Amino acid sequence: MSNLDANPPEQDCPAKNDPGPVAEFHEARDVPLGGVRGVHVMRALPQRVLPTVGAWCFLDHFGPQAAAMNINPHPHIGLQTVTWPFQGDIRHRDSVGSDVVVRPRQLNIMTAGRGIAHSEFSIEPGQLGHGLQLWTALPDEHREIAPHFEQHQKLPVYELPGLRALVFLGTLDNVTSPARTYSPILGADITLNPGATATIPLTNYHEHAIMVIAGDLTTADTTVPPGPLLYLGTGRSELTLTTHTGAHLILLGGQPFREDIVMWWNFVARTHDDIEQARNDWEKRNTERFPDIAGHTVAERIPAPPLPGVRLKARGRGGR
């Protein structure tokens, strides 16, 4: 999936020191995606004051909606994309030759490295689609690696009485996803049974956030409704989750990402020149960097939006 904003803003990433344990709500904003008929997403990351959680730098929550996901070929650099559907099957094709269907609770993870292009289409017209699209920023030493794609249909499960967590990226306690990652990170899909209380272990020096998808949840002395991102900061070695009616939530975490980045359109880079070069390579159809995708015509490629009239600046979170 893509950031298909017609005029993507430069993301402002101000410095922020390690916060310790906090409980801060960050409201997701409604973003209409150009080029996708009738599709709106709720964008929880990046935020002006919270550009990243660990290496997680982008989080869109889409659906439930009957509008088809029809996203034509578009490019990425410097990141990993994670497609995580709750409902609906999605066909993924990319410029390294992948052509697969991802189904609910299965993981598609695409590492863009120096450059990749892909498309994503709903399998059934009018099917109900619901899920998340996430990106992680690649650290500097890995951002120019060769692009590659992985699909994992079976993922490991972390269980406690009343709690089941599907670990789709990174490590929760002693349970580790098979997906390749490039910085210490965590992504888990958690289900709580009605009336359950469970305490999960966390890595103390990592930062964490949760998003409730459905149900009711209380954690960190906070009642958490579905929708907003609850940022939990650093310095927590465990987290107690309580629900009355049951809950479905996503837990994200990781080592605070200390690098300054330029994030614009579908690109995560370090300088304005990096972004400009990637945009030019896409627009000029540099097939060495962005090969064509089998089954798509050149005319189907999504054009890059114009760059803003000022130079994009690398920003980060200072001492994080």
Side-chain angles (χ1 to χ4, degrees):
M1 197 172 173
S2 168
N3 175 15
L4 295 177
D5 292 351
N7 295 290
E10 179 183 4
Q11 302 296 341
D12 193 9
C13 304
K16 186 176 181 181
N17 294 324
D18 286 354
V22 298
E24 301 172 349
F25 280 115
H26 296 270
E27 295 291 336
R29 63 189 186 279
D30 187 347
V31 178
L33 295 185
V36 185
R37 288 170 289 181
V39 172
H40 285 239
V41 299
M42 298 303 296
R43 183 158 299 162
L45 284 176
Q47 300 270 350
R48 182 175 177 82
V49 297
L50 187 70
T52 55
V53 175
W56 298 105
C57 63
F58 185 89
L59 169 56
D60 275 359
H61 181 191
F62 62 90
Q65 56 195 0
M69 176 188 288
N70 293 331
I71 303 177
N72 275 318
H74 58 278
H76 290 283
I77 67 166
L79 53 81
Q80 290 183 293
T81 68
V82 173
T83 302
W84 190 248
F86 306 133
Q87 295 174 273
D89 298 340
I90 300 168
R91 182 183 184 186
H92 164 100
R93 287 177 282 182
D94 63 39
S95 56
V96 297
S98 311
D99 186 349
V100 300
V101 175
V102 61
R103 295 184 168 86
R105 302 318 198 275
Q106 297 179 359
L107 175 67
N108 270 11
I109 181 167
M110 184 181 73
T111 303
R114 74 176 303 270
I116 199 168
H118 76 135
S119 66
E120 290 184 300
F121 278 73
S122 299
I123 296 297
E124 297 289 339
Q127 72 174 347
L128 193 66
H130 186 202
L132 302 178
Q133 176 68 31
L134 309 102
W135 301 349
T136 72
L138 289 172
D140 192 60
E141 65 267 29
H142 297 297
R143 67 188 180 90
E144 293 286 337
I145 61 176
H148 53 276
F149 174 83
E150 301 173 47
Q151 184 183 65
H152 298 280
Q153 297 182 355
K154 293 185 177 180
L155 293 165
V157 175
Y158 175 83
E159 290 187 286
L160 295 171
L163 178 146
R164 185 177 191 272
L166 204 57
V167 182
F168 58 85
L169 213 63
T171 299
L172 175 61
D173 196 16
N174 59 353
V175 176
T176 299
S177 165
R180 195 181 322 177
T181 59
Y182 295 90
S183 58
I185 202 166
L186 168 62
D189 184 309
I190 298 176
T191 302
L192 283 170
N193 295 341
T197 293
T199 299
I200 57 175
L202 299 178
T203 301
N204 180 269
Y205 57 90
H206 286 186
E207 59 184 348
H208 296 88
I210 60 173
M211 174 183 283
V212 174
I213 306 302
D216 71 276
L217 181 74
T218 299
T219 190
D221 298 318
T222 304
T223 299
V224 189
L229 191 71
L230 178 68
Y231 178 61
L232 295 165
T234 56
R236 295 181 185 272
S237 58
E238 62 182 25
L239 187 67
T240 299
L241 307 171
T242 300
T243 183
H244 296 294
T245 63
H248 176 205
L249 62 135
I250 298 296
L251 170 66
L252 302 179
Q255 182 173 305
F257 197 78
R258 300 180 185 277
E259 298 180 23
D260 291 353
I261 60 175
V262 181
M263 185 170 164
W264 179 85
W265 196 41
N266 296 307
F267 304 144
V268 174
R270 297 304 183 274
T271 69
H272 175 97
D273 292 341
D274 293 340
I275 297 288
E276 186 173 30
Q277 185 62 59
R279 183 188 181 279
N280 288 342
D281 286 344
W282 177 250
E283 289 297 282
K284 294 178 180 179
R285 199 182 163 215
N286 179 344
T287 55
E288 181 178 346
R289 188 173 195 182
F290 300 115
D292 293 336
I293 300 172
H296 285 287
T297 67
V298 173
E300 290 175 315
R301 290 159 54 102
I302 296 174
L307 281 165
V310 297
R311 289 185 65 81
L312 302 168
K313 296 179 181 179
R315 294 183 170 94
R317 295 171 70 180
R320 296 301 309 264

